[in-house]
Amino acid sequence: MTQHLADRTEPNGPGTESRPDWWRDAVIYQVYPRSFADGDGDGMGDLSGIRSRLPYLAELGVDAVWLSPFYASPQADAGYDVADYRAIDPMFGDLHDADALIRDAHDLGLRIIVDLVPNHSSDRHEWFQRALRQGPGSPLRDRYHFRPGKGTDGELPPNDWESIFGGPAWTRTTNPDGTPGEWYLHLFAPEQPDLNWDNQAVHDEFRSVLRFWLDMGVDGFRIDVAHGLIKEAGLPDMGQSGQLRMLGTDVLPFFDQDGVHEIYRSWRKILDEYPQQRIAVAEAWTPTAERTALYVRPDELHQAFNFHYLNTPWGADELRQVIDSSLDSMRPVGAPTTWVLSNHDVVRHRTRLGGSLARARAATLLMLALPGSAYLYQGEELGLPEVVDLPDEVRQDPAFFRRAGHHDDADDGQDGLRDGCRVPIPWTAQGSSFGFGDGGSWLPQPPAWGKLSVAAQAGDPAATLELYRAALAIRRTQPALGAGDGVEWLATPPGVLAFRRRSACGGTSLGAPPGRSPGEESGGNTAVVCAVNTTDKPVELPDVLTPGGSRLLASGPWPAGTVLPADTTVWWGE
Ligand code: GLC
């Protein structure tokens, strides 16, 4: 099947063939398949819907598209519970749709990155079902973490680990004869049993799955919970509760264990067997940026998400500090730093940063001026806010149900849980589900979203969509943006951040965005200055926006002169 489907496996659209190291400064757009576009009108997004919108993504100017999982799945965690790693869930389409999507994307010059979920499978996966049927002592149980319970009758979980979604990380099974049985580990929902990466069959299976999708022509993988695969030997107790609050800051026996790196070294060898630089990006929650850098050593994965950046509040000092520490930590291993503001697991950055669209736009222009690769989440280019008033009866995030009554750890958005950032995209100003599809949408869209739709914004120079388009067009033609591994900080008043990015090619013209000739507006610049005012007052920046330079782009209205308005980022060509 794969062989037949994939007789053309490489990106061949404009600009893709001749870009070695394409991933180092790539802008990668995350599509959440159930919420992007619905081709068959069942209220749920699908591959044919995504395919029909690929020209929109090409026109937006991104380099690659990362698709959250579309595999066969009972959808206990929106597809992050995979029942068959080589099949498409019927609600999203089939393998022919996936093949057509990859081909179309490549024809448009877009690369495709798929999500790989190796930490756990679905409890409906054949492996888990067989392990359950065969009962305690079966070697098939060794592919997961089955353990007898503690207490006199095994009625207590084997250790004190807590699920990321709330409650214990263990669920007790029932034996084939109906008696209470062993427990199994699930760091996420009970429908997501953790795989045991000390078992060789697990290694063999995932190497084969990697090859399956590489043969289909994908350009890379986003590795889900890349930090979780290896657990500390003996599964020792944590000795304390509230473990969720320790994620990303503390050393944990189930996350970021050194043994994970051996796995990624073996995967890198497979990726390198394929032409055109196939890549992998780690979702790795680790206590420090230095620990994250270990995942992207030259013989491991290519990129890791920079969650420290995502979690940084809107303040000049904090931003400068995280930018420096991010760049400093990646430099020794030679990997590009990544930047991300929004994804399907967090409150959309417009809402997270305080609700102001001006600030969200300023944050985006800052991110897109930084060296390395940037990740966009579908809908942020429309300035979509988090939906904070979804009624309980439409909620689907398993964390919502597991944490019911325990929402105290949420301080933004609706309750810090994840349905509010997953509401389907508005494409048209009117009509059923604003053009998402003909059959409504699986989560209700706010009535005001027609005004934020693609159709309402396209062509309006003041619209957020046009800001993203302009920024990405400039980024493509200005090597000073995106490239390199450092920034040159400029002196600024408090609350303001400014840095210069220089082109590696020295004094030559950096070219101009499409539709402009070199030297016009971009002024044949050899460097770009990015200046950010994080305060709520305008500031004068005569030493930063120097005479002789030219305006490239601003995240909001920018009066003539050297004043930078509140919550505004500007790009200044030198
Ligand atoms: C990752 C995904 C998240 C999912 C979890 C379990 O964090 O981004 O959506 O729930 O892994 O697979």
Side-chain angles (χ1 to χ4, degrees), residues 77 80 120 165 188 222 224-225 283 344-345 418 422:
D77 183 21
Y80 282 95
H120 43 265
F165 291 158
F188 294 87
R222 177 262 187 190
D224 188 64
V225 195
E283 183 207 24
H344 67 294
D345 289 330
R418 305 176 300 172
R422 298 175 175 181

Side-chain angles (χ1 to χ4, degrees), residues 436-451:
F436 168 65
D438 295 333
S441 90
W442 68 280
L443 282 175
Q445 300 154 302
W449 274 23
K451 292 197 201 72

Side-chain angles (χ1 to χ4, degrees), residues 219-244:
D219 302 284
F221 299 90
R222 177 262 187 190
I223 313 296
D224 188 64
V225 195
H227 51 293
L229 277 49
I230 298 292
K231 278 73 182 176
E232 189 174 330
L235 311 184
D237 276 332
M238 284 280 298
Q240 66 183 102
S241 60
Q243 295 160 21
L244 185 61

